[in-house]
Amino acid sequence: MPALSPTMEEGNIVKWLKKEGETVNAGDALCEIETDKAVITMESSDDGILAKILVEEGSKNVRLGSLICLLVDEGQDWKQVEIPADGSDPSSLAPSAPVLTITPADPSVSAPPKLEHQPGKLQVRLSPAARNILETHGLDPSNITPSGPRGIFTKEDALKLLQEKQKGKPSELKPVVSPAPPQPTTVPSALQATAVTSAYPRPAVPPVSTPGQPAALGTFIEIPASNIRRVIAKRLTESKTTVPHAYAAADCDIDAILKLRKELAKDDIKVSVNDFIIKATAVTLKQMPDVNVTWDGEVCRQLQSIDISIAVATDRGLITPIIKDVAAKGIKEIAASAKALAKKARDGKLLPEEYQGGSFSISNLGMFGINDFTAVINPPQACILAVGRARPELKIVEDEEGNEKLKQHQLMTVTLSSDGRVVDDELASKFLEALKANIENPMRLALC
């Protein structure tokens, strides 16, 4: 399983494009893999024959480095290929290949990696911390009942197993019901749900509902999270807990944009209000390059190119494809790029270079009737603009004779979320002031 994106830790096998026994040339498409960002086609780097598919279609959460298929040279008997005992070591074809650097005499130690790298036959699911402890000390997770949610073997389980090994009492761990008192590190989680009876007291958790049967009181349906949604959850949590968000909002009069858009439509030029917002943002970033920055944890980097990420909602979660060098593009070109990228995002066909990077993000919920909202910054970017819907409001204006009267205007609220480490409140306020001026005078956009 290759790393097809910088943040990828696991992948799902969506579809095999080659069958066992077929000839494969370098560059041929082998299979489709769902990463934490999109569905990407994996290409072969060698010539040969696809001898064995080790991970079937539909397999989930296949860790990086796991063996998913075997290729042999042409002329070899692909039907008689030997399958490595450890799927994570593709360099060896011997069944007795060592799994751990420190291997006890008990051969059962090699069981955890085997179980882990065969998604279709998983018996024990390991948390990353637990896996590290087991591999470091050569422990067998089958000697203790997992206490984590959905049967996950947790760090606390691994520490308990290590403590018992150091005491020289491994036999006390094998029974499912153990008379030993619970250790402080094995206090069960309130979210725990396991069908195995345990001596350790745990809060009652409603059972998973059974498809085809009426739902009992207190039951629920567990919906597996895709790789994309797990990464989104992780990155949103990191952003909100590590980035000092600051917020500022402004109401923009978009009457001039709506009028210009109507004129363009007469010439069969179809552009959206959001396309004007993207262009106005790029022009403002060009005028104020101090906002076109990223923060890498140590220093602030001012970027030369203005690449704007646009938030697109898909069935698999939110993804932000990037329109490159927006300041140099016209409204029509921006509209075409946004439409094409949004379609590729919803189809899961984005290339890594189409969603990695960016210097500024825009999220628009106006089409859902949202007046205003605050968005979460997408690190390492420093800002994200949240765009609400256009709404009619009455405003007092003066006519040519100086008389005051009420006039209806279309207003739109834009809210800037900024990283206070690199964009302070004064800079954010000046940016919004300049953005408001560019939105309300769209003819300026043609001058930049």
Side-chain angles (χ1 to χ4, degrees):
M1 174 63 69
L4 299 176
S5 78
T7 56
M8 178 179 173
E9 295 179 357
E10 297 175 335
N12 301 335
I13 304 295
V14 177
K15 182 180 181 181
W16 281 99
L17 304 177
K18 293 286 186 179
K19 297 179 180 179
E20 292 183 0
E22 286 191 17
T23 300
V24 177
N25 297 318
D28 285 356
L30 277 179
C31 63
E32 292 181 351
I33 297 176
E34 180 187 4
T35 71
D36 57 343
K37 298 291 187 181
V39 177
I40 299 177
T41 300
M42 173 185 169
E43 297 180 350
S44 173
S45 58
D46 298 301
D47 297 333
I49 297 175
L50 181 57
K52 186 67 176 177
I53 294 176
L54 301 178
V55 181
E56 299 297 329
E57 289 184 5
S59 298
K60 305 289 185 181
N61 307 328
V62 184
R63 293 194 61 81
L64 295 185
S66 300
L67 201 59
I68 60 176
C69 69
L70 293 175
L71 291 181
V72 299
D73 294 332
E74 291 189 22
Q76 287 186 298
D77 187 356
W78 60 272
K79 295 182 180 180
Q80 301 300 323
V81 66
E82 293 185 15
I83 302 175
D86 180 15
S88 64
D89 183 13
S91 62
S92 172
L93 294 179
S96 59
V99 176
L100 303 176
T101 55
I102 301 175
T103 306
D106 185 358
S108 64
V109 175
S110 62
K114 288 184 180 180
L115 291 172
E116 178 187 351
H117 292 299
Q118 295 181 12
K121 302 180 181 179
L122 277 175
Q123 299 297 326
V124 180
R125 297 175 60 191
L126 306 176
S127 71
R131 181 184 302 104
N132 182 54
I133 295 173
L134 293 175
E135 293 181 353
T136 301
H137 298 280
L139 303 176
D140 184 359
S142 63
N143 286 337
I144 188 172
T145 303
S147 65
R150 300 180 298 281
I152 294 177
F153 194 95
T154 65
K155 174 184 176 182
E156 287 73 20
D157 297 328
L159 291 174
K160 178 176 173 61
L161 191 60
L162 179 59
Q163 290 174 1
E164 295 298 333
K165 179 184 178 181
Q166 293 172 347
K167 292 178 183 179
K169 301 178 181 180
S171 59
E172 296 181 4
L173 295 174
K174 291 186 179 180
V176 174
V177 179
S178 172
Q183 300 294 329
T185 57
T186 57
V187 176
S189 168
L191 298 177
Q192 179 177 355
T194 174
V196 180
T197 304
S198 174
Y200 300 102
R202 296 168 184 164
V205 176
V208 178
S209 60
T210 305
Q213 297 183 6
L217 183 65
T219 62
F220 60 90
I221 296 176
E222 186 174 280
I223 302 175
S226 66
N227 287 349
I228 293 177
R229 289 204 179 274
R230 283 200 300 272
V231 171
I232 290 173
K234 179 181 178 182
R235 286 182 60 82
L236 287 177
T237 303
E238 289 177 351
S239 177
K240 288 295 288 185
T241 54
T242 63
V243 178
H245 284 58
Y247 307 101
D251 288 333
C252 303
D253 188 334
I254 62 169
D255 282 343
I257 286 180
L258 295 177
K259 182 179 179 180
L260 179 57
R261 184 169 174 254
K262 189 175 180 180
E263 293 295 325
L264 293 174
K266 294 179 180 179
D267 296 328
D268 201 27
I269 300 176
K270 298 180 180 179
V271 293
S272 68
V273 173
N274 197 55
D275 298 327
F276 282 96
I277 301 298
I278 294 172
K279 178 62 177 179
T281 302
V283 169
T284 309
L285 288 172
K286 186 176 180 180
Q287 295 168 343
M288 303 182 64
D290 289 345
V291 183
N292 194 48
V293 296
T294 60
W295 175 258
D296 69 351
E298 297 293 336
V299 297
C300 173
R301 296 179 178 177
Q302 188 176 112
L303 306 179
Q304 300 301 315
S305 178
I306 298 174
D307 303 329
I308 295 183
S309 305
I310 54 173
V312 177
T314 72
D315 294 337
R316 292 174 293 277
L318 194 70
I319 193 167
T320 52
I322 302 168
I323 304 178
K324 302 291 183 67
D325 198 15
V326 184
K329 289 181 168 66
I331 296 290
K332 189 175 180 181
E333 189 176 359
I334 291 173
S337 297
K339 184 177 180 180
L341 288 170
K343 184 179 187 305
K344 291 184 72 174
R346 295 187 180 99
D347 294 340
K349 300 297 184 182
L350 285 173
L351 300 176
E353 59 268 22
E354 292 176 324
Y355 57 78
Q356 294 174 8
S359 58
F360 191 100
S361 292
I362 295 178
S363 180
N364 190 337
L365 295 181
M367 66 285 295
F368 299 108
I370 304 300
N371 285 339
D372 60 84
F373 66 103
T374 55
V376 181
I377 296 171
N378 183 22
Q381 296 178 13
C383 296
I384 182 171
L385 188 72
V387 182
R389 72 179 181 94
R391 62 189 188 279
E393 288 194 8
L394 293 176
K395 184 178 179 182
I396 297 177
V397 297
E398 290 187 356
D399 57 20
E400 296 177 355
E401 299 177 357
N403 299 319
E404 293 184 345
K405 65 176 182 178
L406 286 175
K407 184 179 180 181
Q408 180 174 286
H409 291 265
Q410 293 290 329
L411 297 184
M412 172 183 285
T413 300
V414 293
T415 306
L416 182 70
S417 303
S418 55
D419 185 341
R421 295 171 296 185
V422 289
V423 179
D424 58 28
D425 291 343
E426 181 183 6
L427 182 58
S429 299
K430 290 180 177 179
F431 176 83
L432 274 182
E433 183 181 22
L435 177 63
K436 175 181 170 70
N438 287 327
I439 290 175
E440 295 182 347
N441 298 277
M443 296 306 295
R444 290 185 180 185
L445 306 181
L447 304 177
C448 299

